[in-house]
Amino acid sequence: MKTSTMALMLTKARLQSRKGSTLLDVFALIAYAVSATLILTTLGGVWMFWQRAENHIEHEIATLMGTERDMISDFAFIHVTFAFLALALLAIPLLSVGAGAARLGANGRAQRLASLRLLGVSGRQVMMMSVLETSLLASLGFLMGLFGYIVTMPLWSNITFQMIPIRQGEMMLTWWQLILAYLLFVAITVISTLTAHIQVSISPLGVARRHTPQALRAWRLAVLVLAIGLVTYTTSDYSPFASGHKEMLTMVASFVIFFASFSLVGPWFIQLVTRLLVRGRSASTLLATRRVVGDPRGAWRGISAVALMSLVATIVTTTVEVGIEVETTDEITQQVVQLTDILLKDISVGVLIAFGFALILSAVSTLIHQTADVFDRQEEAESLAYIGTPLRTLHVARIKQVLGPLVLSLVISLIVGYLPPWLSGISVGDTAENSGLLLTMYGLGIGLTLLSVAATIPVQHRVLAERGRRND
């Protein structure tokens, strides 16, 4: 039998199965669909701003403002720049969810693939089957995401950018862009599947053994420090209306590096602080901290979307607004003042949309990672249940396992977000409205993450209810 035929049959059987492990494939499929919908919607937004700039929408904006086009010649390009920046910021959590879904599916197949290995299937065939199964699920999830992208497109007509509502079809990608997005989506899932199999060694005797990840090193902090210095340098004298295309692209690139470095150092911060609590007095705290210390990268993946977008929100409510005000106070023309108000409004709307996407991504990411963790720690949970550990302790430990790294990441996001304006010598000052917006965003992130963790409680009950002797 061909490897592809066997992979198709096994995928169909797993989706039709009613066993608990099928939930892993169901949640992975949901994650693929959500990730694909948001990726296509984000790309559609970038394409809309690009088309508006290409079609010289400044003529229409100038007419609405009652001014000359020369006054706003680069206004559309400014929005294109910020659109690419938003895409870059969302790229990490978007791809993280897709990669997490691939790892979820690969980890869920480990024992079954080990059984096939014992029956004589070669290691190459096992790897190929896993890649094919993941590609099939990712393709199905992408089709579901494409449907969601098309269905939700009319809803965006209620949003206004550049004083003009989003028109029908403006966010619709071309056929070749959809194909490229699909190929990128599948490529990310395949790479993530291969990475997951590196972490799970399947021997010819049918034994699936997980490799213990190495501890993270402090060199990650040096990368973040350099990135903060780069952002401070590129934004210290930046003004949207006075800078050229080169300065704008440099600013975007510096922010991309900055957020990538923050994502790199996040797991190290979690590992560092959690180690101080590893000798907690309560059983739930001890269990939670040891799990986080054992896999800080996994803890970060579940909350990275909210942490990154909280950092974005902090920077926008400090650097962007104050920076634009400082750069435009010397301008006396009414057009510049009006353009500044429009740009600030558009940035605020864009940040709210991006944060909404981040909340959805974080909820899905937390759900799939915690569901996978329930199955990965099935033997541990069964052992604790056999010796009399209350089920409530396992639930509290899981909440602490997620809530602790999340709160820590939000605090770090707040501190790091205020560093660039402070180092640039900008007096941030207080804005009660901005502070309230930040607290609201942080509260929504924590609340939605807790709901995602609570959704895994029935899964934990189901896993423990199915326990029995291994030779049954």
Side-chain angles (χ1 to χ4, degrees), residues 121-141:
V121 179
S122 67
R124 182 176 176 276
Q125 286 180 305
V126 166
M127 180 71 71
M128 185 62 65
M129 286 173 57
S130 184
V131 169
L132 288 174
E133 285 187 67
T134 300
S135 300
L136 287 173
L137 280 177
S139 299
L140 180 58

Side-chain angles (χ1 to χ4, degrees), residues 390-428:
L391 193 57
R392 178 179 177 277
T393 300
L394 298 179
H395 297 329
V396 174
R398 189 159 299 282
I399 292 175
K400 292 181 178 179
Q401 178 182 344
V402 176
L403 188 59
L406 177 60
V407 173
L408 173 62
S409 299
L410 292 180
V411 172
I412 296 172
S413 299
L414 187 64
I415 295 173
V416 174
Y418 271 87
L419 283 177
W422 179 71
L423 292 174
S424 299
I426 297 176
S427 177
V428 176

Side-chain angles (χ1 to χ4, degrees), residues 53-182:
E54 287 290 312
N55 295 330
H56 304 291
I57 201 172
E58 295 93 341
H59 291 290
E60 190 171 349
I61 299 174
T63 301
L64 293 173
M65 292 178 58
T67 185
E68 297 294 332
R69 179 184 178 277
D70 293 340
M71 293 295 301
I72 55 174
S73 58
D74 289 330
F75 192 62
F77 184 79
I78 294 174
H79 283 75
V80 172
T81 303
F82 281 110
F84 275 107
L85 179 58
L87 175 63
L89 298 180
L90 285 172
I92 297 176
L94 277 170
L95 297 179
S96 176
V97 171
R103 285 189 293 268
L104 174 63
N107 292 342
R109 301 185 196 100
Q111 295 300 327
R112 177 174 56 82
L113 294 177
S115 301
L116 293 175
R117 191 84 166 90
L118 183 61
L119 293 175
V121 179
S122 67
R124 182 176 176 276
Q125 286 180 305
V126 166
M127 180 71 71
M128 185 62 65
M129 286 173 57
S130 184
V131 169
L132 288 174
E133 285 187 67
T134 300
S135 300
L136 287 173
L137 280 177
S139 299
L140 180 58
F142 186 85
L143 290 176
M144 294 170 61
L146 178 61
F147 176 77
Y149 160 65
I150 295 175
V151 168
T152 58
M153 195 178 300
L155 300 178
W156 293 105
S157 60
N158 299 315
I159 305 296
T160 299
F161 283 106
Q162 299 168 321
M163 301 179 66
I164 302 172
I166 297 177
R167 296 159 177 157
Q168 185 177 4
E170 273 193 312
M171 294 178 59
M172 188 64 199
L173 298 171
T174 61
W175 64 269
W176 62 268
Q177 290 171 335
L178 291 174
I179 292 177
L180 287 178
Y182 167 73

Side-chain angles (χ1 to χ4, degrees), residues 8-28:
L8 181 61
M9 292 175 58
L10 290 174
T11 301
K12 182 179 179 181
R14 279 175 61 82
L15 292 176
Q16 293 177 344
S17 175
R18 295 186 178 181
K19 293 184 179 181
S21 59
T22 307
L23 287 173
L24 297 179
D25 285 326
V26 173
F27 285 149

Side-chain angles (χ1 to χ4, degrees), residues 199 210-216 267-268 270-278 285-301 373 376-377 380 401 405:
Q199 299 172 352
R210 299 186 182 277
H211 294 281
T212 302
Q214 296 181 351
L216 304 178
W268 180 79
I270 292 174
Q271 173 187 274
L272 180 67
V273 176
T274 308
R275 278 179 173 176
L276 303 177
L277 306 174
V278 78
T285 301
L286 176 63
L287 191 59
T289 52
R290 288 192 175 274
R291 287 176 177 177
V292 174
V293 170
D295 188 15
R297 292 185 184 88
W300 170 256
R301 283 194 294 266
D373 193 66
D376 287 343
R377 301 183 186 278
E380 175 189 277
Q401 178 182 344

